[in-house]
Amino acid sequence: MTRRLDLAMLLVLTFSTGMVDAIGYLGFDKVFTGNMTGNVVILGMGLAGAEDTPVLRPALALVFFMLGAALGGRILGRIGEDWHQRTTAIFAGVALGCAGLAVYVALVPDPEVGLAGTIFTSALSALMGAQAAAARRMKIADVTTVVVTSTIVGLASDSRLAGGDSARWVRRALAVLLILIGAIAGAATLMINQWIGIAVVAVAIAVVAIIGHRGARKRSLAEAEVSPART
């Protein structure tokens, strides 16, 4: 049951990644803040001189994503796959960071322009990097929260059409569907104001942190009750 809860929480984070990538790409000069594969491709095209293709923001997003992931890995240390207090700390920190960015976008005039936009995409990339590091440490197969290419490959290559057994097809399909729905939601919020989508992301990640933390506490209490009984 615990691993199912962890899976559900990571699927929610996958949805939030779809939102932030849609907001970054459509609202902040074609920058992915969660999917770094997209940034590497955009950066390559930009360096090749493709018209209207940015270089600075994708490059900074890539660097800050890596810094966020490195910081997340440092905080997590050598914890195992189970949800830990440090996992809660990472996700809570990401939620607070996204909330702060929502306020930033709401208060800064034309937040997508110039230095203001670069600060936003770089900061959001760092937060997504930390989130990805925490999700990776939980080792839920096929759900990384930030990319679904490998998930789509697994969904197709392990399908019955390909002669496989369709293992884990439900979670794989959900991961793809949720990042798609997240992208739709992120694009829709841009029609109103940029800060709304980031605020929704902050709330979603905060809910994940709270539910995941409570689930871990219940598991710890249950294990504590069983241990004395065995002794």
Side-chain angles (χ1 to χ4, degrees):
M1 182 63 182
T2 300
R3 296 301 281 173
R4 287 184 180 180
L5 179 61
D6 290 346
L7 170 61
M9 296 300 96
L10 294 191
L11 287 172
V12 173
L13 294 177
T14 302
F15 166 82
S16 70
T17 298
M19 288 197 69
V20 299
D21 272 341
I23 292 167
Y25 188 86
L26 296 175
F28 291 84
D29 196 24
K30 300 178 182 177
V31 178
F32 290 106
T33 54
N35 177 15
M36 289 302 113
T37 302
N39 273 342
V40 171
V41 173
I42 290 173
L43 180 59
M45 293 187 295
L47 291 173
E51 187 177 356
D52 296 327
T53 303
V55 172
L56 177 61
R57 285 188 185 178
L60 287 175
L62 181 61
V63 170
F64 277 90
F65 184 93
M66 293 176 66
L67 289 174
L71 177 60
R74 172 68 68 175
I75 293 172
L76 292 167
R78 296 183 178 276
I79 65 171
E81 299 177 7
D82 292 333
W83 192 289
H84 190 274
Q85 288 182 350
R86 296 183 185 181
T87 311
T88 301
I90 292 288
F91 290 141
V94 172
L96 287 172
C98 287
L101 287 176
V103 174
Y104 171 81
V105 169
L107 295 180
V108 174
D110 299 322
E112 73 279 5
V113 177
L115 180 61
T118 303
I119 291 172
F120 171 82
T121 55
S122 298
L124 188 55
S125 295
L127 293 171
M128 291 299 103
Q131 172 185 292
R136 180 176 181 273
R137 191 63 58 89
M138 294 169 69
K139 296 183 179 178
I140 299 291
D142 301 306
V143 184
T144 66
T145 76
V146 292
V147 65
V148 293
T149 302
S150 59
T151 304
I152 293 172
V153 171
L155 181 63
S157 63
D158 292 340
S159 67
R160 296 191 184 280
L161 181 64
D165 57 3
S166 293
R168 299 192 295 270
W169 74 269
V170 174
R171 73 171 62 173
R172 288 168 172 170
L174 282 174
V176 176
L177 181 62
L178 285 169
I179 205 167
L180 172 63
I181 295 173
I184 294 170
T189 60
L190 283 175
M191 298 178 186
I192 307 171
N193 198 295
Q194 297 103 322
W195 71 267
I196 294 176
I198 303 303
V200 171
V201 168
V203 171
I205 299 173
V207 169
V208 166
I210 292 169
I211 294 176
H213 183 69
R214 287 182 175 178
R217 284 190 63 186
K218 287 181 180 179
R219 183 187 68 243
S220 297
L221 290 173
E223 291 174 351
E225 290 177 358
V226 171
S227 296
R230 289 179 177 175
T231 56

